[in-house]
């Protein structure tokens, strides 16, 4: 289905994120700037209800903080109450979609709004105004609720045009850098002409300058939140920090990066850290790598991989980059000169055990020997849990030991079985069937105890009756009609026109399914 573009009052994703940062800033001047941005959006067009409510609540907090002369507590109560009432009504009215109006409390519960917001709205409308302290707390809680239920979710739905630009800019820079390295190698070669080498190197230098300028301009326009939303997700993709060719990737268990790969990324890293700072960039990069290596165990289960699980070489390369960042920018034991912190990294690995979190913890232990003793029990536990899991999977995939083995029947065995069945058929239905043969097949003398003197006549009478029934059945048994004597006959009749008797012979009931004496 064709979706038409939606017109929004903000010019770019960065402007949208900047307004959110200003509205939730602890600095009053920044909050006033965020309110001014929303007022400018109102002049451009329609503003979403959640943004309107956020701006109104933030403006109320600014007015309360400044508290101009002449504003009484009662006036502040009315201002807070009006802002909160409009906040509840504007958000809840979006869910009023049926023919019949539903209660505000029911609609609020449907969207996850706390019930006490509805009670506060009711008190401010129909009852005595709540205290100023209660209204201030409600305003702060309403801003937090809007951040969790609107702003944080809308960030994930923003258009991906910025990520496309970031991906294209970094890819162009890497291609130009690779072309420049090849041109330099060509100049150093003695097999080519000097003039051709100079022209190739000049073209490569020009392309490199153009790509560097484009990437520098793009990075300068990006907000700090773009590092987490756009830059870092692109960097951990295949083809960037992780080379597309698997032979250039790191390998377990060493997880060491090739020198050429590190040298290729030194200049882009310097560009990123100059714009956003080393601490912000490297901590966001570490968080994204750990998140990719250790999926949420609350959703997938411990040591369980999702659909988009990383390949082994991809994961090994990310672990190698974590090692490089910690060795370059982390001072053990929380030194003052440390650029990055590993608290979030450790928490992510310990909360979400996975196939690769143990490797990350080993890297941390190597970089910070003071933590090695504390992390050793967790690393050993993960190793034992992984070994038990592998053993369980191997046991589940192996065939059960108690089950019967699959039959491998040879041609000779089939022929012997066929001959055995043929002899049994001959004994049952053959022309030369003797009573002694029937008795030898039907009766297992070795399996029965010795008969007493009183049971012999009874056994003889039973055997004589069975022989009589078998003799009668043999006289009425079917036989093949000679080909010369065969004539056409109605379906279901014999050649002589008689209807055959299809009853099961009585004497066959006394024949066991499996003979107990050899034939």
């Amino acid at each position: 289905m064709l979706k038409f573009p939606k017109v929004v009052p903000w010019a770019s994703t960065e402007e949208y994120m900047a307004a959110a940062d200003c509205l939730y800033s602890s600095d009053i001047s920044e909050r006033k700037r965020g309110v001014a941005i929303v007022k400018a959006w109102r002049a451009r067009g329609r503003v979403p209800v959640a943004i309107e409510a956020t701006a109104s609540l933030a403006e109320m907090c600014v007015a309360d903080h400044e508290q101009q002369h002449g504003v009484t507590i009662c006036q502040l109560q009315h201002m807070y109450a009006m802002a909160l009432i409009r906040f509840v009504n504007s958000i809840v009215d979006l869910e009023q979609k049926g023919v019949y109006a539903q209660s505000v409390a029911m609609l609020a519960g449907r969207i996850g709004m706390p019930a006490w917001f509805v009670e506060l709205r009711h008190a401010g409308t129909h009852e005595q105004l709540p205290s100023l302290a209660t209204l201030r707390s409600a305003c702060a809680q309403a801003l937090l609720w809007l951040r969790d239920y609107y702003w944080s979710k809308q960030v994930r739905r923003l258009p991906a045009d910025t990520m496309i630009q970031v991906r294209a800019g970094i890819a162009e820079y890497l291609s130009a850098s690779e072309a420049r390295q090849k041109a330099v190698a060509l100049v150093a070669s003695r097999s080519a002409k000097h003039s051709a080498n100079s022209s190739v190197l000049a073209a490569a230098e020009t392309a490199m300058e153009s790509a560097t300028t484009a990437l520098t301009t793009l990075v300068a326009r990006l907000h700090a939140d773009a590092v987490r939303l756009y830059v870092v997700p692109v960097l951990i993709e295949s083809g960037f920090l992780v080379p597309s060719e698997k032979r250039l990737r790191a390998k377990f268990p060493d997880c060491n990066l090739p020198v050429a790969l590190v040298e290729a990324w030194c200049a882009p890293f310097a560009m990123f850290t100059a714009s956003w700072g080393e601490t912000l960039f490297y901590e966001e990069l570490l968080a994204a790598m750990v998140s990719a290596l250790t999926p949420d165990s609350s959703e997938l289960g411990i040591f369980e991989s999702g659909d988009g699980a990383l390949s082994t070489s991809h994961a090994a390369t990310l672990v190698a980059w974590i090692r490089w960042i910690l060795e370059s920018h982390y001072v053990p034991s929380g030194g003052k000169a440390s650029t990055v912190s590993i608290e979030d990294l450790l928490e992510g690995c310990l909360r979400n055990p996975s196939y690769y979190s143990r490797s990350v913890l080993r890297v941390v232990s190597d970089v910070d020997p003071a933590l090695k003793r504390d992390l050793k029990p967790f690393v050993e536990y993960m190793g034992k849990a992984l070994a038990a899991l592998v053993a369980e999977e191997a046991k589940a995939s192996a065939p059960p030991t108690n089950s019967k083995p699959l039959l491998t029947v040879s041609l000779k065995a089939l022929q012997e079985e066929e001959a055995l069945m043929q002899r049994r058929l001959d004994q049952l239905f053959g022309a030369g069937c003797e009573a002694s043969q029937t008795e030898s097949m039907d009766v297992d003398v070795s399996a029965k105890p010795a008969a007493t003197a009183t049971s012999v006549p009874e056994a003889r009478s039973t055997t004589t009756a069975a022989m009589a029934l078998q003799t009668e059945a043999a006289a009425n048994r079917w036989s093949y009609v000679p080909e010369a004597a065969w004539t056409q006959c109605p379906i279901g009749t014999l050649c002589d026109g008689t209807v055959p008797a299809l009853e099961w012979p009585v004497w066959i009931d006394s024949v066991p399914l499996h003979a107990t004496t050899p034939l």
Side-chain angles (χ1 to χ4, degrees), residues 91-156:
I91 299 297
V92 170
D93 285 344
L94 295 176
E95 294 295 317
Q96 203 69 264
K97 301 176 181 179
V99 178
Y100 301 98
Q102 300 180 5
S103 64
V104 177
M106 182 182 298
L107 296 176
R110 184 183 303 169
I111 62 177
M113 179 180 290
W116 71 278
F117 281 164
V118 180
E119 296 175 2
L120 190 68
R121 164 195 170 275
H122 182 80
T125 305
H126 305 288
E127 300 174 359
Q128 185 179 359
L129 286 177
S131 64
L132 184 58
T134 302
L135 293 171
R136 286 172 176 169
S137 177
C139 183
Q141 295 294 325
L143 286 172
L144 293 177
W145 186 87
L146 285 169
R147 184 185 63 184
D148 295 336
Y149 281 80
Y150 174 76
W151 292 98
S152 61
K153 293 184 178 181
Q154 288 298 319
V155 166
R156 303 189 187 99

Side-chain angles (χ1 to χ4, degrees), residues 430-489:
C433 181
E434 298 287 339
S436 59
Q437 294 177 342
T438 304
E439 183 178 359
S440 64
M441 187 176 71
D442 293 346
V443 181
D444 186 4
V445 179
S446 61
K448 293 183 179 181
T452 59
T454 55
S455 61
V456 172
E458 182 178 355
R460 290 179 177 178
S461 60
T462 304
T463 305
T464 305
M467 292 174 58
L469 291 174
Q470 184 177 357
T471 304
E472 180 182 358
N476 299 328
R477 67 177 180 271
W478 291 11
S479 59
Y480 289 101
V481 178
E483 183 178 357
W486 182 87
T487 57
Q488 292 184 357
C489 58

Side-chain angles (χ1 to χ4, degrees), residues 2-8:
L2 181 63
K3 294 184 177 180
F4 295 95
K6 183 178 180 180
V7 179
V8 293

Side-chain angles (χ1 to χ4, degrees), residues 55-193:
S56 299
L57 295 172
E59 188 176 12
M60 190 60 242
C61 294
V62 172
D64 188 11
H65 183 270
E66 294 180 346
Q67 283 193 7
Q68 299 178 359
H69 298 289
V71 179
T72 64
I73 294 179
C74 185
Q75 290 174 340
L76 285 175
Q77 285 179 295
H78 281 86
M79 293 167 63
Y80 267 115
M82 179 57 66
L84 291 169
I85 290 171
R86 287 187 58 83
F87 154 68
V88 175
N89 289 342
S90 59
I91 299 297
V92 170
D93 285 344
L94 295 176
E95 294 295 317
Q96 203 69 264
K97 301 176 181 179
V99 178
Y100 301 98
Q102 300 180 5
S103 64
V104 177
M106 182 182 298
L107 296 176
R110 184 183 303 169
I111 62 177
M113 179 180 290
W116 71 278
F117 281 164
V118 180
E119 296 175 2
L120 190 68
R121 164 195 170 275
H122 182 80
T125 305
H126 305 288
E127 300 174 359
Q128 185 179 359
L129 286 177
S131 64
L132 184 58
T134 302
L135 293 171
R136 286 172 176 169
S137 177
C139 183
Q141 295 294 325
L143 286 172
L144 293 177
W145 186 87
L146 285 169
R147 184 185 63 184
D148 295 336
Y149 281 80
Y150 174 76
W151 292 98
S152 61
K153 293 184 178 181
Q154 288 298 319
V155 166
R156 303 189 187 99
R157 299 180 181 179
L158 291 176
D161 53 353
T162 305
M163 182 175 289
I164 294 175
Q165 295 177 10
V166 170
R167 186 181 290 108
I170 298 177
E172 182 182 359
Y173 179 88
L174 294 177
S175 299
S177 177
E178 184 179 359
R180 182 179 178 277
Q181 291 179 358
K182 292 182 178 179
V184 171
L186 185 61
V187 169
S189 176
R190 298 180 180 178
S191 59
K193 295 182 179 179

Side-chain angles (χ1 to χ4, degrees), residues 44 50 80 183 228 230 271 273 342 382 415 422 463 472:
R44 295 177 185 174
Y80 267 115
R228 180 182 71 258
Y230 307 116
M271 191 184 306
T273 55
I342 63 172
M382 291 183 183
Q415 292 175 349
Q422 185 62 43
T463 305
E472 180 182 358

